[in-house]
Amino acid sequence: MSRGGSGGHVRVLTARKRTAQSTRWLERQLNDPYVKRAKADGYRSRAAYKLIELDERFELIRGSKRVVDLGLAPGGWAQVIRRRIPKAAVVGIDLLPVDPIEGVTIFEMDFLDDAAPGKLIEALGGAPDLVLSDMAANTVGHPQTDALRTMALVETALAFACDVLEPGGTFVSKVFAGGADSELVAEMKRNFKTVKHAKPPASRKGSVEWFVVAQGFKGRDPK
């Protein structure tokens, strides 16, 4: 049950079977302007605006022809891509099931599966010029462990991007507070012309997430 407060704020009453934590989460959702915008604009999640804001700052999307979306669920980022560049080929992957998105090839599988990269590129029909990763490891409640687990996913996503990107391409990935560690940043700088960290306004202030944006892929070293 919820009750309207002053200034349009919705206060959620604690139900018998609802914990205080879930009550706070529900109240935050009900009063989140990005959640309301997402519903009004037809996006599946407020996360769509994180990509929109990153794109407005870094011009990530325009001109892209082939896009990979790692950690696709529930599909907000893929929706943004489809709306902004409807002719682009888009493939996405997630462990969680994702409802179909017109124009997007979706794989419900683990990105860490050895077969995953090949399936993505085959479905894409060529090398991508934009690789997006909103992947995060399931948290265990221990900040250092959670950060290490997510950073391992970032490293894997970066390795994939460096293997498949077109020269000049872009890699965007979620990281934890503090950004990518120094070794990972150094690896990005070896492979990309610019590497920057950003926290878009749509990312909640209390959230530990940031994003790293690497642009201008230099190309793979000839063997």
Side-chain angles (χ1 to χ4, degrees):
M1 180 182 295
S2 62
R3 179 175 296 171
S6 60
H9 181 84
V10 178
R11 183 165 60 90
V12 177
L13 303 181
T14 302
R16 181 176 299 175
K17 295 182 179 180
R18 185 188 299 135
T19 66
Q21 182 178 3
S22 64
T23 298
R24 287 194 297 272
W25 179 88
L26 180 58
E27 184 170 315
R28 185 178 63 183
Q29 287 292 104
L30 290 172
N31 292 286
D32 188 324
Y34 283 102
V35 172
K36 296 175 182 177
R37 281 181 61 187
K39 291 181 178 179
D41 293 344
Y43 287 120
R44 295 182 179 182
S45 71
R46 68 189 304 286
Y49 297 101
K50 300 174 189 177
L51 181 58
I52 289 170
E53 290 165 353
L54 288 171
D55 183 45
E56 289 172 349
R57 177 174 174 183
F58 297 104
E59 295 186 357
L60 309 170
I61 299 173
R62 186 174 60 184
S64 295
K65 297 178 180 178
R66 289 180 291 272
V67 182
V68 177
D69 186 351
L70 308 176
L72 172 70
W77 280 24
Q79 287 181 298
V80 172
I81 295 296
R82 288 290 299 152
R83 292 188 187 187
R84 298 209 162 186
I85 42 172
K87 293 184 179 180
V90 185
V91 299
I93 186 170
D94 205 293
L95 277 168
L96 299 173
V98 179
D99 290 336
I101 302 171
E102 184 179 357
V104 180
T105 302
I106 298 172
F107 292 95
E108 184 181 337
M109 64 184 298
D110 190 344
F111 174 63
L112 300 180
D113 187 315
D114 289 342
K119 287 181 176 291
L120 290 170
I121 300 306
E122 181 181 4
L124 200 59
D129 40 34
L130 177 59
V131 173
L132 304 171
S133 174
D134 198 25
M135 294 190 296
N138 291 330
T139 58
V140 297
H142 185 263
Q144 290 81 6
T145 301
D146 291 339
L148 287 172
R149 285 158 59 99
T150 291
M151 199 54 60
L153 286 177
V154 178
E155 291 174 356
T156 304
L158 173 62
F160 168 76
C162 290
D163 280 343
V164 302
L165 270 174
E166 286 275 9
T170 296
F171 171 66
V172 180
S173 179
K174 177 190 290 182
V175 295
F176 269 179
D181 63 32
S182 57
E183 290 185 9
L184 194 59
V185 170
E187 178 67 15
M188 290 182 185
K189 288 183 176 180
R190 280 192 291 270
N191 287 281
F192 294 85
K193 293 179 180 178
T194 64
V195 178
K196 297 181 180 180
H197 285 90
K199 187 175 180 67
S203 182
R204 292 188 175 104
K205 292 182 179 180
S207 169
V208 296
E209 74 175 6
W210 279 67
F211 292 88
V212 62
V213 178
Q215 293 178 287
F217 181 57
K218 298 175 183 179
R220 291 164 288 284
D221 293 332
K223 301 295 184 180

